[in-house]
Amino acid sequence: MTKGPEVTAAATFCATLVDEWVRAGVRHAVVCPGRRSPPLALALAADGRLDVQVVHDERSAGFVALGVGLSTQVPAVVLTTSGTAAAELHPAVVEAGLSSIPLIVCTAD
């Protein structure tokens, strides 16, 4: 079975994005599995320079990533799928903003 050009392009884009995050200092990622986020989740997992945690609850994942940012002063990436999953990150995003804690939120669609 061969991969179509759109799959290869998505994988290349995701690997490039992850590489840029790592080059900027990111060392941790929190992934919430979802139907639309596998290309980026796989790119995060494939990059051996990152500590990747899988958390199945989006609200919890946001606060796990927030805790990483608080303890290291380096943003962690938190990845969710789109829709209401992204909305579950809102409390952690508000806390990060009010507390000046670095956090990178990425949703997939």
Side-chain angles (χ1 to χ4, degrees):
M1 178 176 206
T2 61
K3 296 178 183 179
E6 65 280 347
V7 173
T8 303
T12 300
F13 172 81
C14 291
T16 302
L17 182 60
V18 169
D19 183 61
E20 289 299 319
W21 284 335
V22 171
R23 289 171 32 135
V26 172
R27 296 291 177 256
H28 299 274
V30 182
V31 175
C32 294
R35 186 175 72 84
R36 297 181 179 180
S37 59
L40 190 49
L42 291 171
L44 288 165
D47 192 301
R49 301 170 290 177
L50 290 170
D51 174 31
V52 180
Q53 298 177 57
V54 176
V55 178
H56 294 279
D57 177 74
E58 289 84 3
R59 184 178 170 108
S60 297
F63 282 102
V64 168
L66 187 69
V68 170
L70 178 63
S71 65
T72 65
Q73 289 303 303
V74 175
V77 173
V78 59
L79 171 66
T80 69
T81 192
S82 59
T84 58
E88 293 296 328
L89 297 176
H90 189 248
V93 170
V94 170
E95 185 67 30
L98 293 174
S99 303
S100 299
I101 298 170
L103 179 65
I104 299 172
V105 174
C106 187
T107 63
D109 194 351

